[in-house]
Amino acid sequence: MTICALAGGVPVAQAQESELTVIGQPLPPSAAQGAYSSQTLGRDALMAAPSGRIEDVLGNVAGFQQFRRSDSRSANPSAQGANLRALGGNAASRTLVLLDGVPMADPMFGAVPWSAMAPERLGAIRVTRGGGSGAFGAGAVAGTIEMESAPRGSLMQGEAAVNDRGESSLTGMLSPRLGAGFAQVSGRWDRGAGFWTTPVDQRVPASAKARFDSWSASARAVAPIGTDMELQGRVTAYDDHRTLRFAGANSHASGEDASLRLIGRGRWKFDLLGYLQDRGFSNITISATTFRTSLDQRQTPATGLGGKLEIRPPVGGGHVLRLGADWRRAQGDLSEVAYNAATGAVTAYRNAGGRNEDKGLFVEDDWQQGPLTLTLGLRADRWSVDGGYNTARSAAGVVTQDLRHASRADWAVTGRGGALLKLADGASLRASAYTGLRQPTINELYRSFSLVASGVTTVTNANPLLANEKLEGYEAGLDLAPAPWLKLSATAFINRLGNAIANVTIAQTATTITRQRQNVDAIRAKGVELAASVHAGAWSMEGSMALTDSVVRTSGAMNGMRPSQTPRVSANVQARWQPAKGWQAVLGLRHVGPQYEDDLQVFRMAPATTLNAFVQAPLGHGASLILRGENLGDAAVQTRYQGANSIDLAAPRTVWAGIRFGG
């Protein structure tokens, strides 16, 4: 048996004709993938993250952002949505994140559980900027992030590391052969007393470090069925505890996911996938004025179900035809208790929830004829929103609210198309146009929340009447490789996100800000993405930059303003030295421009530039010394700014040392 992988950046082992080849990967992308702006992060990049976290790896893609600049040690788990091209503005993902074809966003919040996806379990990540659902499924209005599990490597792999604050990280993977297939069983545990997110001059006795304690475990098996079919199964479980800003402000996220996938690699290629997600979340909010509990989100169970069937008939003539259907269903329910932050008395018991569903049909044809490749795809989605409710009871149990929201359903048609023209060796032009669809999350539809900072209460109300977001986008790009050691890329784009969901300020006093989730007319983003890489022997350097002019178009006060949490510029550059097998040193610089905390551009967060490093040195017998450095310049990276007296910060300078083996 020979194990191999087809993902970009992952080595490919060729099988002898008489051997059975077990791949453990999806069907390969067609040549038309090059018509869209995409970037592949390979195994080397995954294993050299300064923080050892997957969102840190994705930070090397200019334009990638989460709702906040903090990572999965100190961010609230419900606010970790993934976005591209400055189309952000709230905590839900506008980018479709897939792991082995399965959507990873939380069914309730639309946030991504980054702590459940360890870099060492992955073989490659392909980031496609721009929308267009195509065969990916609905939800890709800002782009798609496709993560693929690692192929089978050595029997045992692992890493143990500790940092200068005494925090620890422990990972391990066992990859035995199973007959003609293989299995992968892995685990990860991260814990620490945390770092101060509160600046020194704002700390009070109730202030606390961002303590974290999280683990995740995954089991994956790949087995051949006959000579050209392969069964892939995966189960994952994770548990994540965090504290943010104040003692007692604890959050807990957990989940169990399972998926089964049947891949056919014969003449009639196919991909049949089914999955189940069971997620949970709880969160305690502490008043920044009285330091008492103001809200206890006791339970937020959510489930996701889905499946996909894709068939590629052998049509010939340079065509790759993709036909298929997919289905997704999300259900979430919230149970919370509100308190009087001054007295600690219960003021209300609240429940909310609902269901979203999407049934899609898609067809896409990629045609390659000489130097020209064309692609065209259409989707039809039958979407529905139903079962929505909001109920509330007083402290005495008297019903004060009992709302049942009307069900809605309709059809939506989206599509995408593109062209790739190879002008000569090392030079190609590409252009594409696309439309996309995203349903509002259950959280956006039904869950309201409030925060108290600097004596000001900010209330954000849900909106059960939210309409779907609709994207229209156009882009053109040039890729050059004038020499074997040099690659250059430039992409210009215009995206318009209609019915964009934003947190809109509707009333404001000296002590209270009231916002509501609303559909604004549009967010229009236009910009340029640049990338370059240079290779010279053991040395290499690569970098990327995204320059984006993003504005809100609406009849309200937000018109002409930049969406909240969206910088105009983001850039990164990495220098890498690999003098021999097993040796590696990486130095990276990352910059994010200023961005606004709020919709009316009152609270401006300062730009941030961080210096990061990674070193690996072989020790012999398959072991290596690992050194990692985060934010080596100790920059004060603001993650939340609601006035000079209410600031949160990302991780300070952190230095890690550890041992890696088998990787």
Side-chain angles (χ1 to χ4, degrees):
M1 180 192 70
T2 300
I3 306 300
C4 68
L6 295 180
V10 182
V12 178
Q14 300 295 334
Q16 297 179 8
E17 293 184 0
S18 60
E19 294 181 316
L20 184 64
T21 305
V22 178
I23 298 175
Q25 300 294 303
L27 295 176
S30 71
Q33 175 66 34
Y36 302 100
S37 175
S38 64
Q39 179 178 344
T40 297
L41 302 170
R43 182 74 173 173
D44 283 349
L46 290 164
M47 297 301 288
S51 68
R53 295 176 177 270
I54 199 71
E55 62 269 38
D56 191 7
V57 177
L58 288 167
N60 293 327
V61 178
F64 169 81
Q65 65 177 109
Q66 300 181 89
F67 180 61
R68 299 196 182 279
R69 295 167 174 173
S70 45
D71 62 28
S72 53
R73 288 168 293 193
S74 61
N76 188 292
S78 66
Q80 290 192 262
N83 286 295
L84 294 162
R85 289 196 165 163
L87 290 175
N90 62 30
S93 293
R94 288 189 169 120
T95 299
L96 179 61
V97 180
L98 303 171
L99 173 58
D100 294 335
V102 176
M104 292 304 296
D106 184 90
M108 175 80 178
F109 296 99
V112 180
W114 298 114
S115 62
M117 294 175 287
E120 60 271 10
R121 296 176 190 153
L122 303 179
I125 302 176
R126 183 169 61 243
V127 180
T128 302
R129 300 181 180 95
S133 299
F136 294 129
V141 294
T144 305
I145 298 174
E146 300 171 87
M147 297 183 287
E148 297 176 0
S149 291
R152 182 182 183 272
S154 56
L155 177 62
M156 297 181 63
Q157 301 177 48
E159 181 179 315
V162 64
N163 67 22
D164 54 338
R165 294 189 296 271
E167 298 163 357
S168 60
S169 176
L170 182 65
T171 70
M173 178 182 289
L174 184 65
S175 302
R177 296 176 184 265
L178 291 179
F182 64 92
Q184 291 175 323
V185 180
S186 63
R188 176 167 181 150
W189 182 29
D190 296 276
R191 64 181 302 275
F195 49 86
W196 288 106
T197 60
T198 308
V200 174
D201 60 351
Q202 295 180 21
R203 294 174 195 166
V204 295
S207 296
K209 294 182 179 181
R211 179 180 59 84
F212 61 95
D213 191 339
S214 65
W215 62 262
S216 66
S218 178
R220 181 170 181 257
V222 178
I225 299 177
T227 58
D228 55 13
M229 286 193 296
E230 184 175 292
L231 187 64
Q232 304 172 7
R234 178 173 56 84
V235 293
T236 301
Y238 67 92
D239 193 81
D240 190 328
H241 293 263
R242 306 179 198 176
T243 298
L244 179 60
R245 194 172 175 86
F246 297 115
N250 302 323
S251 66
H252 174 220
S254 61
E256 297 83 33
D257 293 1
S259 65
L260 197 61
R261 192 177 200 178
L262 183 63
I263 300 286
R265 306 185 191 277
R267 190 164 177 266
W268 280 73
K269 295 179 174 59
F270 65 87
D271 183 350
L272 177 60
L273 169 69
Y275 66 88
L276 167 66
Q277 298 167 323
D278 183 16
R279 305 284 178 85
F281 175 72
S282 63
N283 184 73
I284 296 176
T285 302
I286 300 295
S287 167
T289 304
T290 66
F291 311 113
R292 291 176 177 265
T293 299
S294 61
L295 184 68
D296 182 359
Q297 292 174 248
R298 292 183 172 179
Q299 295 180 358
T300 312
T303 57
L305 291 168
K308 170 187 170 182
L309 171 62
E310 177 184 332
I311 300 173
R312 300 185 185 182
V315 294
H319 291 268
V320 176
L321 180 63
R322 306 172 69 181
L323 306 169
D326 52 47
W327 168 66
R328 274 192 273 174
R329 181 179 180 181
Q331 178 167 346
D333 298 275
L334 168 72
S335 176
E336 64 183 20
V337 183
Y339 294 87
N340 183 312
T343 66
V346 173
T347 60
Y349 298 94
R350 296 193 288 257
N351 296 85
R355 290 183 298 274
N356 285 355
E357 191 168 19
D358 184 280
K359 304 181 184 76
L361 301 171
F362 62 85
V363 56
E364 187 165 275
D365 184 37
D366 305 333
W367 181 44
Q368 188 171 11
Q369 196 70 17
L372 179 65
T373 301
L374 300 174
T375 178
L376 179 65
L378 289 174
R379 276 189 65 89
D381 288 275
R382 177 66 178 180
W383 60 268
S384 65
V385 177
D386 64 88
Y389 68 94
N390 287 91
T391 63
R393 293 176 291 121
S394 69
V398 177
V399 176
T400 58
Q401 183 183 63
D402 189 0
L403 300 177
R404 295 296 186 271
H405 305 294
S407 299
R408 295 176 284 148
D410 203 351
W411 284 93
V413 177
T414 57
R416 65 176 187 170
L420 174 66
L421 177 63
K422 293 185 178 180
L423 303 174
D425 289 342
S428 60
L429 285 171
R430 49 185 162 80
S432 60
Y434 35 78
T435 58
L437 168 77
R438 184 184 79 89
Q439 282 187 269
T441 64
I442 298 168
N443 177 61
E444 291 168 322
L445 289 166
Y446 308 120
R447 174 182 168 263
S448 302
F449 65 94
S450 62
L451 297 172
V452 180
S454 301
V456 178
T457 300
T458 301
V459 179
T460 302
N461 292 318
N463 185 351
L465 300 179
L466 288 172
N468 295 336
E469 294 181 335
K470 300 177 181 178
L471 178 87
E472 296 178 4
Y474 310 89
E475 64 183 63
L478 174 65
D479 300 309
L480 297 173
W485 49 270
L486 176 63
K487 293 182 180 179
L488 304 170
S489 176
T491 304
F493 66 90
I494 298 176
N495 285 181
R496 183 185 185 277
L497 185 65
N499 291 334
I501 298 171
N503 296 336
V504 179
T505 299
I506 57 177
Q508 188 168 358
T509 68
T511 59
T512 304
I513 299 173
T514 302
R515 298 186 178 125
Q516 185 185 37
R517 297 187 180 98
Q518 294 183 1
N519 292 110
V520 300
D521 292 341
I523 293 176
R524 188 224 63 204
K526 60 180 181 180
V528 176
E529 295 157 349
L530 306 172
S533 64
V534 178
H535 297 268
W539 291 91
S540 65
M541 181 175 290
E542 56 187 22
S544 62
M545 174 182 290
L547 305 171
T548 309
D549 177 21
S550 182
V551 297
V552 176
R553 296 303 185 196
T554 185
S555 57
M558 292 173 62
N559 187 51
M561 294 188 177
R562 196 190 320 169
S564 59
Q565 307 293 341
T566 55
R568 291 186 186 276
V569 58
S570 63
N572 64 80
V573 61
Q574 284 189 316
R576 187 183 304 268
W577 180 55
Q578 294 176 292
K581 184 178 180 180
W583 287 89
Q584 185 174 194
V586 183
L587 188 65
L589 193 66
R590 189 174 296 166
H591 175 79
V592 179
Q595 59 195 59
Y596 289 99
E597 174 77 25
D598 63 316
D599 59 317
L600 298 181
Q601 298 189 358
V602 175
F603 302 121
R604 178 184 181 272
M605 287 188 285
T609 303
T610 55
L611 180 67
N612 307 290
F614 173 84
V615 175
Q616 178 174 338
L619 299 174
H621 304 287
S624 298
L625 172 67
I626 300 296
L627 300 174
R628 303 199 306 251
E630 306 176 57
N631 191 10
L632 292 175
D634 204 23
V637 181
Q638 295 176 354
T639 64
R640 186 185 63 86
Y641 182 90
Q642 290 185 302
N645 295 320
S646 184
I647 297 173
D648 283 341
L649 302 174
R653 177 171 49 232
T654 307
V655 178
W656 294 83
I659 300 293
R660 176 180 292 175
F661 62 91

